[in-house]
Amino acid sequence: MGFESSVKGRDSSPQEQEVAQTPPSVEGATPFMAQYLDMKARHPDAMLFFRMGDFYELFFEDAITAGKALGITQTFRGQHNGQPIPMAGVPYHAAEGYLARLIRAGYRVAVCEQTEDPAEAKKRGSKAVVRREIVRIVTPGTITEESLLEARVANCLASIGLAGGGREAALALADVSTGRFEVFALDAAALEDVLAAIGPREVLVADSVMAHPDVSRAVHGLTLTPRPDARADAKLGERLFREAFGVSTLDGFGIFSRAELIACGLLFDYLAVTQAGGQARLDPPIRTAPDTFLAIDPATRASLEIERSTRGQRQGSLVDAIDRTVTAAGARLLALRLGRPSRDGAEIERRLDAVAFFLDASDRREFARDALKRASDLERSRMRLSLRRGGPRDLAALAACLRVGEEICADVSSQDTPPAEIASACTALSLADKPRLAAFAQQIVAALARELPVQARDGGFIAQGYDPALDETRALKEDARGVIARLEAEYAAETAISGLRIKHNNVLGFFIEVNAKHGDVLMRPPLAGTYIHRQTMANAMRFSTTQLNELEAKISRADGEALAREMDIFNRFVSEADALGPELALVADGLARLDIAAANAEWAAEVSAVRPEIADAPVFEAEGARHPVVEAALRATGQGFTANDCRLDARGQAGPRLTLITGPNMAGKSTFLRQNVLLAILAQAGCYVPARKLRLGLADRVFSRVGASDDLSRGRSTFMVEMIETAAILNQATVNSIVILDEVGRGTSTWDGLAIAWAAVEHLHEVNKCRALFATHYHELTVLADTLAACANASLRAQEWKGDLVFLHEVKPGPADRSYGVQVAKLAGLPSAAVKRAEAVLKRLESKEGGAKRLEELPLFATFVAEEPAEYQPSEADRILAELDPDTLTPKEALELVYRLKQAAKP
């Protein structure tokens, strides 16, 4: 007996002595196990989903790993070379859910399918093994299934190419789920920033360049897939590039450097591997230069919580706070724009014009948004169909999007002349000049039924009346079922058995079932010549007839012919969608751009955001600015946000180049710093901003060093991380950059920290000459406003009220008078003894004759705490109050009592 049948034997006891933890050699393996081991050897770094009937089975170490990762039962089935084999399985129909969990956990999965019918295998011999092939490798960067993807988040695969001894670098980027394909030529040092902007799910790197310092820094924390050096070849890359697009030369796409071809080669080679020799269908490459968008390094991106909050969630991020899109494609495009804000003033103005178009007309905006809610994810539906993983619902999605686009275009054309961005989107959406696309949409609507299955193989998705040949086949099938009903009545009359029924199952097909007591009648002449015994049950007997068998074959043929006809129609639509791919891609892009424009207008109306003014000078002039994320959180609890102004000018003309921000902790310094940089990011992304006014000179980079934590994986302390981030700012910031720094130098001794902060301020002001906000608790730094020509002080207001500290969250000119650190510690719940000790130490430090060198004269904390307060002695006022009876006092006596207490209270 082959292993394929023996694996369904007994479950081994958990106390089995030895278990084959890893796949052993093929030697001694059954034919089935030899097939499994051969498949596993092809992809040893992937978990192997091995199709067996209605299950995907996993064996050996894969079974153990899957059991833990998925929480499924891991058993032992069969043996190999005398050792029990660990085994686990997941149902075929529910496999996508398990795949999603494995991919999220960072695993790669090789899917091995049966490519032969078991009946065909039996013809080769009783021990023949069903043929199987690996049809796909599922990895984080190559998934396309709707259930495995985050609808509103891009799913990118990136590859890194290096040439010229590591001096020349490139990135190739593909989102297999949408077809987007980008190529970046850049300096190796810029890899980290660009990868942070992209946020790839998986990064491909050749083995030999993984140790390159710029590469290792850039891929830190990302899902990394090493590739053989032999695949990082420029000539191979060019050949694979040409093959992917079916061209004989790349001249039509531009001139590519060696590093770009290497990156593209790694990408196309990996896609061929994961698609089991096939090729992902990508759109023509977008050539992107990193200097066309605002550079934001990973530390700044994390500090500002642009795409993810500090908890790693979308909730609480800038994207989440402003996202009012109603389509998945629109949400992905919004995230791309916020992740890569533009440096092109004309492009920014076009986007702002589009927002204004919808903001100025609420009816127009409402109509567009209501229509867009009926649009499906055209980008991903198109690619699933292109990869032959789509179904009838994806076809319906294409038609729905084409209809929605036409509706919006008709409404827009009836209005005023739209701005360039809206006009461009409508040009892509209009079907008036695209007869082939219009006919395609009409045919899909006419062809598809109201209720659609997920998979085409389930059938029943072509509407009645669309295809005469299909209708005829279906009628034949329905007629055959009517014949069965009539046949059942004839057999019941012929045999005089009223309980006779014709039934069906997958083993016997159609059969006649009668009560056991009537079975003998059918097995005796003359009926035995007509009724053929098939099966005896406990309470029933089953029979067949030649007529019934012929009818079953006819129905089976009709079912098969109907499904084959439906599949033929479906495949013709898919081929047509492939041919219309470029036009469909433009429609998807047009819908996404309209969604963003209407969504940004909706958000602007909701929060009273304004259009930013783009200036030629390196200025930042904000009036009534608000933090979009914090304000949203406060608004959700019914609270308001205190708006503040900020004015910076790198030239030192319209405002200070650098402003020192002082004030107590919890007063809002960090919020003030972040909100101003977020306004710059929103403006350069083409969004309105939460303020009364913003005038902005476009920035080339933004830097944020606000808050820091250690990086144990790289062996860095909190202070070291802070210094590395500060060094990056001082080395890279230009006159067009915007910088915010918070409490630089706090992680070391007071004087060391002050010295570092002092030098950083001077460097920013004198060398970088960029717009900067510098928050600090070193009040000694505030004197720099008197010595640096373009430096100013500002502070966050706070007041003490009845012993408590009240934060006003207002920014005012000039330095803070004190830090109120002890009061904040009290608010945080520091024990009263510790608070008193802190007050005593602070008083000594702040005294004229005190200072740090006299600190040792203070009593030790233990002594300070141990000193019990003297036993309380009642005063004369206490004695008077204890003796009186307030209920018996006359008005005159009460007045006299007040005078007595006043006299007793005198020292």
Side-chain angles (χ1 to χ4, degrees):
M1 182 187 298
F3 184 82
E4 185 152 9
S5 56
S6 67
V7 292
K8 297 299 181 184
R10 70 173 183 88
D11 286 357
S12 296
S13 165
Q15 285 74 36
E16 296 277 7
Q17 293 296 315
E18 295 186 18
V19 174
Q21 293 285 329
T22 57
S25 65
V26 179
E27 184 178 353
T30 63
F32 168 79
M33 183 49 62
Q35 184 190 53
Y36 168 82
L37 293 174
D38 173 55
M39 298 295 173
K40 179 65 179 177
R42 299 181 194 181
H43 299 281
D45 58 341
M47 300 182 74
L48 184 60
F49 267 35
F50 200 76
R51 182 73 179 272
M52 293 179 62
D54 292 333
F55 281 82
Y56 284 116
E57 306 287 10
L58 301 99
F59 300 104
F60 299 104
E61 190 174 348
D62 285 355
I64 298 171
T65 302
K68 295 176 181 177
L70 301 175
I72 58 178
T73 302
Q74 181 253 302
T75 61
F76 299 98
R77 301 278 182 96
Q79 291 189 344
H80 177 68
N81 291 336
Q83 296 180 353
I85 302 172
M87 176 180 174
V90 300
Y92 164 74
H93 63 83
E96 283 193 1
Y98 292 104
L99 273 175
R101 291 166 62 185
L102 289 173
I103 294 302
R104 282 195 292 268
Y107 295 101
R108 303 167 74 243
V109 180
V111 180
C112 185
E113 293 284 2
Q114 294 178 181
T115 57
E116 181 184 36
D117 190 286
E120 292 297 317
K122 287 182 180 179
K123 294 178 181 179
R124 301 196 308 271
S126 60
K127 294 186 177 182
V129 179
V130 174
R131 291 193 179 98
R132 294 177 174 85
E133 291 293 339
I134 292 175
V135 298
R136 185 179 168 207
I137 313 297
V138 185
T139 75
T142 60
I143 54 179
T144 58
E145 287 80 0
E146 187 174 6
S147 61
L148 304 184
L149 293 163
E150 291 184 69
R152 303 176 74 81
V153 180
N155 198 84
C156 297
L157 171 69
S159 61
I160 297 175
L162 289 186
R167 297 183 302 276
E168 180 188 340
L171 278 175
L173 169 69
D175 188 335
V176 180
S177 70
T178 64
R180 185 181 179 89
F181 176 36
E182 288 185 86
V183 182
F184 299 77
L186 68 169
D187 294 331
L191 283 169
E192 184 178 25
D193 290 356
V194 178
L195 281 174
I198 294 168
R201 292 291 307 276
E202 186 176 5
V203 183
L204 311 176
V205 183
D207 291 327
S208 62
V209 303
M210 288 179 61
H212 189 285
D214 290 323
V215 173
S216 61
R217 183 175 65 253
V219 301
H220 179 75
L222 300 175
T223 300
L224 185 64
T225 301
R227 299 296 296 157
D229 287 334
R231 315 312 292 172
D233 180 77
K235 291 183 179 179
L236 174 64
E238 182 179 2
R239 178 174 64 81
L240 294 177
F241 201 148
R242 286 190 281 104
E243 291 175 357
F245 289 95
V247 296
S248 59
T249 176
L250 298 180
D251 292 348
F253 299 127
I255 299 173
F256 293 85
S257 67
R258 286 191 68 249
E260 288 176 303
L261 291 174
I262 289 172
C264 292
L266 286 172
L267 185 75
F268 288 121
D269 176 69
Y270 187 68
L271 290 177
V273 169
T274 57
Q275 309 306 311
Q279 186 58 264
R281 313 293 179 88
L282 301 179
D283 294 330
I286 301 170
R287 305 296 298 278
T288 306
D291 60 3
T292 60
F293 57 85
L294 180 68
I296 310 174
D297 63 47
T300 298
R301 198 172 291 276
S303 170
L304 297 176
E305 301 178 287
I306 298 173
E307 296 98 352
R308 300 281 175 179
S309 70
T310 53
R311 298 184 299 275
Q313 301 172 345
R314 192 176 190 270
Q315 183 179 7
S317 68
L318 175 65
V319 172
D320 180 63
I322 77 162
D323 186 1
R324 299 296 183 273
T325 57
V326 294
T327 69
R332 293 193 296 269
L333 185 56
L334 175 64
L336 185 148
R337 289 185 178 180
L338 287 174
R340 292 190 241 169
S342 179
R343 290 173 58 186
D344 183 341
E347 174 64 24
I348 294 169
E349 293 291 0
R350 283 196 297 272
R351 294 176 183 178
L352 294 173
D353 287 342
V355 178
F357 178 75
F358 284 113
L359 184 61
D360 296 339
S362 59
D363 291 345
R364 179 192 301 154
R365 181 172 75 247
E366 184 177 350
F367 178 86
R369 286 172 60 79
D370 286 344
L372 286 165
K373 289 175 184 177
R374 291 182 275 109
S376 302
D377 197 338
L378 192 156
E379 284 184 320
R380 287 182 169 171
S381 290
R382 176 177 73 96
M383 290 312 298
R384 279 193 292 271
L385 291 169
S386 177
L387 292 166
R388 304 306 187 258
R389 295 176 192 155
R393 294 181 185 179
D394 290 307
L395 277 179
L398 303 190
C401 290
L402 292 172
R403 288 199 308 271
V404 166
E406 274 282 86
E407 290 176 20
I408 297 175
C409 285
D411 182 68
V412 168
S413 63
S414 67
Q415 309 286 336
D416 301 331
T417 303
E421 179 78 358
I422 302 298
S424 172
C426 287
T427 298
L429 296 175
S430 175
L431 302 183
D433 58 343
K434 305 178 186 69
R436 189 176 171 190
L437 199 60
F440 175 69
Q442 292 169 0
Q443 285 292 311
I444 291 177
V445 172
L448 295 183
R450 287 183 174 273
E451 298 296 328
L452 299 174
V454 176
Q455 300 292 338
R457 63 172 178 264
D458 296 329
F461 56 87
I462 298 297
Q464 188 75 21
Y466 174 75
D467 183 75
L470 176 61
D471 291 342
E472 184 179 343
T473 304
R474 284 174 171 170
L476 182 65
K477 184 172 66 174
E478 293 301 321
D479 181 61
R481 290 202 167 99
V483 171
I484 285 179
R486 292 192 295 272
L487 199 60
E488 180 180 272
E490 290 177 12
Y491 288 159
E494 181 183 28
T495 61
I497 301 174
S498 59
L500 183 148
R501 295 289 182 270
I502 295 180
K503 298 182 178 181
H504 181 275
N505 65 30
N506 291 331
V507 177
L508 298 179
F510 284 101
F511 57 85
I512 300 164
E513 184 174 284
V514 297
N515 192 288
K517 66 181 180 180
H518 297 302
D520 290 342
V521 175
L522 299 183
M523 296 180 69
R524 294 195 301 267
L527 297 178
T530 302
Y531 296 90
I532 305 166
H533 179 250
R534 300 289 303 278
Q535 190 177 31
T536 298
M537 312 285 289
N539 299 313
M541 295 183 71
R542 292 172 174 175
F543 297 82
S544 183
T545 68
T546 302
Q547 185 181 16
L548 187 60
N549 290 341
E550 291 174 351
L551 189 58
E552 179 182 7
K554 182 179 179 181
I555 293 174
S556 179
R557 284 194 303 271
D559 279 332
E561 289 172 5
L563 181 58
R565 183 61 183 163
E566 284 194 276
M567 290 302 299
D568 181 59
I569 295 170
F570 176 77
N571 289 331
R572 282 195 283 109
F573 276 126
V574 171
S575 297
E576 184 71 5
D578 281 347
L580 293 168
E583 291 175 89
L584 289 170
L586 290 175
V587 170
D589 179 65
L591 289 171
R593 285 189 286 151
L594 286 177
D595 189 17
I596 283 186
N600 285 344
E602 183 76 9
W603 176 74
E606 181 183 315
V607 303
S608 300
V610 299
R611 178 171 182 156
E613 177 188 344
I614 305 302
D616 294 329
V619 298
F620 181 93
E621 299 170 5
E623 296 179 9
R626 311 186 303 276
H627 192 299
V629 181
V630 176
E631 183 183 32
L634 290 173
R635 191 167 55 244
T637 60
Q639 302 179 65
F641 185 92
T642 303
N644 283 295
D645 300 346
C646 181
R647 183 177 292 269
L648 296 170
D649 184 346
R651 303 163 304 174
Q653 297 175 5
R657 178 182 301 154
L658 183 149
T659 300
L660 294 164
I661 311 294
T662 51
N665 286 303
M666 297 294 294
K669 295 193 303 298
S670 297
T671 299
F672 177 70
L673 265 58
R674 287 186 174 103
Q675 78 185 26
N676 290 302
V677 176
L678 289 178
L679 259 62
I681 289 172
L682 285 171
Q684 294 193 214
C687 302
Y688 276 37
V689 297
R692 288 194 307 274
K693 178 183 177 181
L694 176 66
R695 182 168 177 263
L696 174 71
L698 296 180
D700 60 351
R701 303 183 66 104
V702 294
F703 293 96
S704 171
R705 209 233 62 76
V706 180
S709 59
D710 56 23
D711 187 349
L712 298 180
S713 65
R714 300 195 198 182
R716 296 172 178 174
S717 67
T718 302
F719 181 68
M720 175 58 79
V721 171
E722 177 186 309
M723 289 299 98
I724 289 173
E725 293 176 2
T726 303
I729 293 171
L730 298 184
N731 286 321
Q732 298 177 49
T734 73
V735 68
N736 290 317
S737 301
I738 299 177
V739 173
I740 58 172
L741 295 104
D742 188 17
E743 298 187 46
V744 170
R746 65 180 174 176
T748 185
S749 70
T750 302
W751 302 119
D752 282 358
L754 176 59
I756 293 169
W758 191 293
V761 170
E762 290 183 337
H763 197 283
L764 286 169
H765 186 278
E766 298 296 317
V767 179
N768 302 106
K769 297 184 178 180
C770 58
R771 291 161 285 181
L773 296 173
F774 194 107
T776 183
H777 284 288
Y778 293 129
H779 286 258
E780 294 85 349
L781 292 178
T782 59
V783 300
L784 288 172
D786 300 325
T787 60
L788 300 177
C791 180
N793 281 307
S795 57
L796 274 295
R797 292 184 59 203
Q799 288 184 349
E800 287 188 274
W801 175 255
K802 294 183 178 180
D804 291 326
L805 187 62
V806 179
F807 301 117
L808 302 179
H809 304 298
E810 295 177 3
V811 177
K812 63 180 181 68
D817 56 350
R818 53 191 296 200
S819 287
Y820 298 98
V822 175
Q823 288 86 341
V824 174
K826 181 181 177 181
L827 288 174
L830 215 66
S832 59
V835 172
K836 290 179 179 179
R837 172 64 170 174
E839 290 172 342
V841 173
L842 179 63
K843 186 176 181 181
R844 174 61 64 91
L845 289 171
E846 292 180 340
S847 65
K848 291 182 180 180
E849 68 279 2
K853 60 184 179 182
R854 295 285 303 279
L855 200 58
E856 65 272 9
E857 298 177 9
L858 282 169
L860 293 176
F861 179 75
T863 306
F864 183 85
V865 175
E867 293 177 357
E868 294 292 336
E871 184 178 350
Y872 179 73
Q873 298 296 326
S875 66
E876 177 66 16
D878 292 329
R879 187 186 62 75
I880 294 172
L881 289 171
E883 291 177 353
L884 67 84
D885 182 359
D887 294 331
T888 63
L889 288 177
T890 65
K892 181 179 180 181
E893 289 172 336
L895 180 61
E896 291 175 349
L897 176 62
V898 171
Y899 283 115
R900 288 178 62 195
L901 289 173
K902 180 177 175 64
Q903 184 65 33
K906 290 182 178 180

